[in-house]
Amino acid sequence: MRGRGLWVAVAGVTLAGLQGTALADAAVPVWQPQGTAVKGAATTAEAQALTPGGTYKDTLKVGDTKYYGVDLDAKSSAYLSAFAIPKPGAKVAYGDGIDLKLQSADGTDCDSFDAHFDNDGAARPVGGYTARTIEKDGRCQEANRYTLEIKRESAGTSDPAEWPVEIRFMSEPALKADAKPAPASSATEASPTPVTGTPKPAQGGTSFDNAAAIKSGIWNDKVLPGETRFYKVPVDWGQHAVLFADFANAPAAKENGFQSAGVRVDAYNPARGHIDDDTESYAGKQTSITGQTVPVSYANRFESGSKVSATRFAGWYYFAVSVHPGVKDVVNGPIGVTLRLDVKGAVAPSPGYDGDAAKAGFGIGGDDLAKADGTATGGGSSSSTMRLVAFAALGAGTVLLLSLAVWVVAARRRPRVAAAAQSPQPPQSGYGPPPAW
């Protein structure tokens, strides 16, 4: 019996380890970069040109600075976004991340954006965009070859593994000569009203490409520790979005567990430009994050505040919901998330584009609201399939290890039973030594 007890104990310990590993690493669905593979150059002279509307993928090693060519006209505004995707659970330090810079042929800095991790040590997709905005007396207005620079920053103590990177080039059509866009939004953030009603299921995507489309209402999902789920919301001219992200309580992994910045929500515009973010600590009890955008207006781009400036066009806006990998030490299993979303405001007229802005990704189509049913859309692996695989990993691991334990015990028993069969048998009187185990 001592042998059997030992193997059962080993199976239990190994199973616990497998469950922890599954939650911390293998079970977490990961953003798989989409698009054309491209190799960023070491100098601007060798930079490969990116095409408007194109999506590209590359990798960044520690210390890498890579360059990509961008040919711009003198009419369209351009948005070059890049997101680095460290492995969930990878060690990152404060200040790690990527620096983006858009430069003209004569070396003028047109725009820059730094996307860095906070001091919470949570690896997640990180990025944003640089923009060349057409405006009177603005910089970099001429037609020319420009260069996108992407630089990786990593501390010596951080995980040195390569980071996959997804790059997106979007070109916004110019306005017609007689266009008269509405003035910039003067609305300030008001106290939002919680949405009520019957929740619907949602299946958050792993990236912008397969984000779950949702509209005004209540949506339920689950997020694993170390995971980031993406949702997209159709927001038209004159409208703004208000989101309550309620993170539910969950079974405790240890008494008084706590993770600072345990839950997080980031908001992005249709060109993947970062709008705002917020975090809250998580201790296994319900907590909530509230976020909202200002009403969408073409003239917002000329405002100094980044949160207003980013809400410059209609289209699909994105919310990324993240759970810190350290939460695996606070609770067991995924965290239930309820998204209460309200898209407010009357739809205003388009500013008057000289081209198909919706086709370029800047606008709302007639059936976009109908598509917002909570399912993952776009390219890449099915989010729901990845989710089922992730949650099933724990159950599969249980079955596998229990089967292994039974097999080991049986294997240990068979030789002894065979030996007993070949040895002289005791009298069948009920007395004598017990059979060998």
Side-chain angles (χ1 to χ4, degrees):
M1 292 300 292
R2 290 175 60 189
R4 179 168 56 183
L6 173 63
W7 282 105
V8 170
V10 170
V13 171
T14 309
L15 173 59
L18 177 65
Q19 289 176 327
T21 300
L23 282 175
D25 186 9
V28 178
V30 179
W31 177 348
Q32 301 295 331
Q34 303 298 304
T36 303
V38 62
K39 291 186 177 181
T43 69
T44 57
E46 304 166 311
Q48 181 178 343
L50 308 181
T51 302
T55 302
Y56 302 87
K57 56 186 178 181
D58 200 353
T59 59
L60 287 174
K61 297 178 181 178
V62 173
D64 268 354
T65 298
K66 293 188 174 184
Y67 298 91
Y68 309 84
V70 185
D71 295 321
L72 303 183
D73 60 26
K75 298 180 180 180
S76 307
S77 293
Y79 302 91
L80 283 302
S81 67
F83 278 78
I85 312 159
K87 182 180 179 181
K91 185 178 181 180
V92 294
Y94 176 80
D96 287 3
I98 55 174
D99 300 337
L100 310 180
K101 184 184 295 185
L102 184 64
Q103 290 185 317
S104 67
D106 64 3
T108 300
D109 290 344
C110 307
D111 192 23
S112 63
F113 182 81
D114 299 338
H116 292 166
F117 293 110
D118 298 327
N119 58 3
D120 58 5
R124 60 182 179 277
V126 60
Y129 71 32
T130 57
R132 193 286 299 268
T133 304
I134 295 296
E135 56 183 317
K136 184 178 181 181
D137 300 326
R139 291 180 295 175
C140 305
Q141 301 293 293
E142 64 277 1
N144 208 333
R145 164 61 67 96
Y146 293 77
T147 304
L148 172 66
E149 175 187 298
I150 305 179
K151 180 181 180 180
R152 174 176 170 177
E153 299 280 0
S154 288
T157 56
S158 299
D159 187 337
E162 283 188 339
W163 288 352
V165 177
E166 184 172 299
I167 304 166
R168 177 77 172 153
F169 179 8
M170 298 181 69
S171 181
E172 181 189 20
L175 296 183
K176 296 178 181 178
D178 59 350
K180 296 180 180 180
S185 173
S186 58
T188 58
E189 291 187 14
S191 298
T193 303
V195 180
T196 58
T198 303
K200 299 177 182 178
Q203 300 168 351
T206 57
S207 69
F208 294 98
D209 301 288
N210 61 3
I214 59 176
K215 56 187 174 183
S216 293
I218 303 178
W219 305 88
N220 284 340
D221 204 349
K222 292 184 178 181
V223 183
L224 288 162
E227 187 179 15
T228 296
R229 311 304 296 173
F230 285 80
Y231 309 86
K232 63 180 185 179
V233 181
V235 183
D236 217 330
W237 298 102
Q239 295 185 317
H240 67 287
V242 178
L243 179 76
F244 292 83
D246 301 332
F247 297 85
N249 61 317
K254 65 178 181 180
E255 188 176 358
N256 299 322
F258 175 83
Q259 176 61 58
S260 61
V263 292
R264 179 185 180 98
V265 174
D266 289 85
Y268 299 92
N269 69 17
R272 306 183 179 184
H274 192 258
I275 300 174
D276 198 14
D277 61 74
D278 197 9
T279 63
E280 289 290 344
S281 299
Y282 186 75
K285 300 178 181 179
Q286 180 169 321
T287 188
S288 184
I289 294 176
T290 303
Q292 59 179 311
T293 66
V294 300
V296 175
S297 170
Y298 186 91
N300 284 353
R301 66 193 61 207
F302 306 122
E303 297 297 305
S304 58
S306 59
K307 189 171 182 179
V308 176
S309 175
T311 54
R312 58 177 62 191
F313 24 59
W316 290 102
Y317 280 72
Y318 299 87
F319 290 98
V321 177
S322 303
V323 174
H324 194 291
V327 171
K328 72 180 186 300
D329 298 323
V330 178
V331 299
N332 293 315
I335 298 176
V337 178
T338 299
L339 303 176
R340 291 178 288 149
L341 175 67
D342 192 8
V343 178
K344 298 184 175 185
V347 177
S350 168
Y353 283 107
D354 188 14
D356 192 339
K359 185 177 180 180
F362 306 98
I364 296 299
D367 59 347
D368 283 347
L369 280 176
K371 292 179 181 177
D373 60 358
T375 59
T377 58
S381 302
S382 167
S383 174
S384 58
T385 300
M386 292 291 289
R387 175 68 51 80
L388 290 174
V389 170
F391 293 163
L394 300 181
T398 303
V399 174
L400 175 62
L401 277 220
L402 289 179
S403 299
L404 178 61
V406 171
W407 180 86
V408 170
V409 171
R412 288 171 58 88
R413 185 173 184 271
R414 278 197 299 271
R416 300 185 182 185
V417 173
Q422 295 174 3
S423 64
Q425 298 300 308
Q428 302 298 315
S429 61
Y431 297 98
W437 175 252

